[in-house]
Amino acid sequence: MLNRIVDKVLSNQRITEKEALILYNQLPLSKLVELAHYIKTYRFDKQVFFIQNVHIEPTNSCVHRCKFCSFHKQPGEELFWEYSIEEIQNFLKTIPKTIQEIHITGGVHPRRDIGWYRELLFAVKEIHPQAQIKAFTAIEIHYMAKLSSLSISDTLTMLKNAGLNSLAGGGAEILNDKIRMQLCPEKGQSSLWIAIHKEAHSLGIPSNATMLYGHIEKIEHRIEHMAIIRSIQDETHGFHAFIPLKFRNQNNYLSHVNEVSFIEDVKTFALARIFLDNMDHIKAYWPMIGKDKAAFLLHAGADDIDGTIYNSTRIYSMSGSEEQKPSITKNELMEIIIREKFVPVERNIFYQKLNN
Ligand code: V47
């Protein structure tokens, strides 16, 4: 049975959810990793993608109370922030003009509507006209639309016209409603995240898909989540990358849940590469898992390590990541990739290679 599934993978045939579970549970770790690496190498040879990018997290005020979140704070609390557009512009002026991506996500602010976010997009573009903007999770889009009494389609179109190039992949968590009810009950059902990404794709706005794993879900839920992503991708071809995000357990309501082992991380990434046969890029997002582990995951199916960051995201440092001040130069990123015997390829938001 096991050999038959491995043969299927090697001959480019799609595996089922059941077969994925068998691979995860029964294939020796080294073989699982080898299989994922084989597929990654077949697609990209030794190339590993990276980008010069910066995050903007406009606020950590949030209308939701997700159990895994260490980021959200209330006005008056220590570590609360709510940046103005001017403050964001001043910060962006300190960032080199070589950046290609501005990644904007934050808490779901109770009062900031589409007008504020459009102004933000224009302001960001004014400082970095060379960069593309990957912004907002489906959850932020949903609330923005509601607050502004607009349809999702009109909201996305207005944001696109203001400079939005791609949607961020967050908010997906685990696309299973029973798990969502326990994990993030106010965030809406899976169908909401799915509908917003499909709508974005139909409007010519690509996106990413994340998966928050290693909390209360089982491996079956991870596979179910990936099956949903795979079927959306079959329909729209709108996803650029899949990003497994390991749950970090500090300073949140799930701090009693132990983080999963690195072996489990490796198996999860490898399975993602094997199962998601229609997804080009699997990203090992280093601010969440740490540079060294991200480097190892390049041998287990990942082909992208994200970017320079400039110490501009706090989601993971606040939840206990080893990267407390996530920042890395382009040269250091390239050195990591070369040390692992891969070839660094600088990309833009659309995974076009940059010549330099
Ligand atoms: O949806 C929150 C995750 C996501 C924790 O599109 C946590 O390239 C682990 O959208 N432990 C938001 N994860 C971040 C996001 C993102 C990140 C990286 C790349 C991209 C991309 C998008 O952060 C949330 C949630 O799944 N998150 N808290 C935590 N304690």
Side-chain angles (χ1 to χ4, degrees):
M1 180 65 163
L2 204 49
N3 286 344
R4 197 182 56 73
I5 304 172
V6 171
D7 285 346
K8 250 179 123 173
V9 176
L10 290 173
S11 58
N12 245 333
Q13 289 176 59
R14 175 166 283 193
I15 59 167
T16 64
E17 290 179 58
K18 265 192 190 148
E19 289 168 334
L21 189 62
I22 294 172
L23 282 188
Y24 188 90
N25 286 333
Q26 296 181 26
L27 199 63
L29 176 62
S30 61
K31 293 277 175 228
L32 193 71
V33 168
E34 206 180 302
L35 203 53
H37 191 55
Y38 170 83
I39 301 168
K40 184 259 157 188
T41 308
Y42 181 79
R43 292 220 188 160
F44 297 112
D45 200 359
K46 291 196 173 304
Q47 298 177 100
V48 166
F49 296 90
F50 73 95
I51 190 162
Q52 295 192 59
N53 64 351
V54 70
H55 284 243
I56 295 170
E57 293 174 345
T59 183
N60 60 351
S61 173
C62 192
V63 297
H64 300 312
R65 296 287 176 271
C66 302
K67 301 275 191 295
F68 55 79
C69 182
S70 320
F71 177 79
H72 121 267
K73 298 281 172 240
Q74 302 204 53
E77 263 187 281
E78 205 191 339
L79 296 180
F80 169 84
W81 70 85
E82 193 176 65
Y83 298 130
S84 66
I85 288 178
E86 192 188 349
E87 283 172 314
I88 292 170
Q89 280 196 318
N90 287 340
F91 165 68
L92 283 176
K93 285 177 190 161
T94 69
I95 303 297
K97 293 285 185 198
T98 48
I99 55 163
Q100 290 292 321
E101 175 188 85
I102 298 175
H103 176 153
I104 311 175
T105 47
V108 179
H109 190 280
R111 291 173 306 280
R112 287 179 171 171
D113 64 4
I114 183 90
W116 193 87
Y117 286 102
R118 271 172 57 86
E119 209 184 307
L120 173 66
L121 293 174
F122 287 127
V124 159
K125 258 309 205 223
E126 191 183 313
I127 309 296
H128 284 285
Q130 82 293 348
Q132 292 154 338
I133 304 176
K134 177 182 76 187
F136 314 127
T137 66
I139 314 303
E140 289 169 277
I141 298 287
H142 178 246
Y143 191 81
M144 230 182 268
K146 201 169 119 187
L147 200 61
S148 316
S149 304
L150 289 168
S151 68
I152 296 294
S153 172
D154 287 347
T155 304
L156 288 167
T157 304
M158 286 172 76
L159 294 171
K160 186 180 179 191
N161 292 339
L164 177 73
N165 297 106
S166 168
L167 273 195
E173 320 315 357
I174 284 284
L175 296 169
N176 171 286
D177 289 334
K178 283 198 181 130
I179 299 291
R180 290 179 93 73
M181 272 308 285
Q182 294 172 61
L183 197 65
C184 46
E186 300 146 358
K187 224 172 195 168
Q189 296 196 324
S190 311
S191 53
L192 181 80
W193 189 95
I194 296 167
I196 292 175
H197 280 259
K198 282 190 183 174
E199 186 73 51
H201 298 172
S202 79
L203 294 167
I205 305 169
S207 68
N208 287 336
T210 56
M211 172 176 75
L212 182 70
Y213 71 92
H215 38 85
I216 57 168
E217 92 295 1
K218 293 190 174 137
I219 177 65
E220 285 84 343
H221 297 118
R222 291 180 213 169
I223 295 173
E224 181 186 345
H225 179 99
M226 291 193 282
I228 292 172
I229 300 297
R230 191 170 73 174
S231 76
I232 301 172
Q233 184 74 330
D234 276 341
E235 209 179 307
T236 67
H237 302 286
F239 290 124
H240 281 146
F242 183 68
I243 309 147
L245 294 172
K246 177 196 185 107
F247 165 65
R248 310 305 310 243
N249 71 358
Q250 282 182 36
N251 309 315
N252 56 52
Y253 294 113
L254 291 180
S255 289
H256 57 282
V257 175
N258 287 335
E259 291 182 1
V260 297
S261 69
F262 184 54
I263 300 290
E264 198 165 332
D265 298 327
V266 171
K267 289 177 73 170
T268 302
F269 272 77
L271 193 69
R273 171 56 80 192
I274 295 166
F275 187 78
L276 293 172
D277 58 353
N278 56 3
M279 182 71 69
D280 284 340
H281 302 287
I282 306 287
K283 188 190 285 187
Y285 181 68
W286 70 266
M288 166 275 297
I289 201 148
K291 293 186 192 88
D292 289 342
K293 289 177 181 158
F296 185 89
L297 291 167
L298 301 176
H299 300 275
D303 65 289
D304 183 4
I305 195 164
D306 205 75
T308 45
I309 311 285
Y310 295 97
N311 191 19
S312 54
T313 176
R314 283 186 259 180
I315 300 180
Y316 302 97
S317 52
M318 287 171 82
S319 60
S321 165
E322 39 281 78
E323 304 291 350
Q324 283 298 301
K325 290 201 163 162
S327 190
I328 190 166
T329 64
K330 170 179 165 176
N331 282 345
E332 286 166 339
L333 261 180
M334 290 174 66
E335 277 166 22
I336 291 177
I337 297 169
I338 292 166
R339 185 192 75 201
E340 297 303 319
K341 304 284 180 274
F342 296 115
V343 176
V345 178
E346 185 172 358
R347 65 169 177 89
N348 68 9
I349 218 170
F350 301 108
Y351 285 83
Q352 288 160 330
K353 296 177 192 177
L354 303 182
N355 298 318
N356 48 22

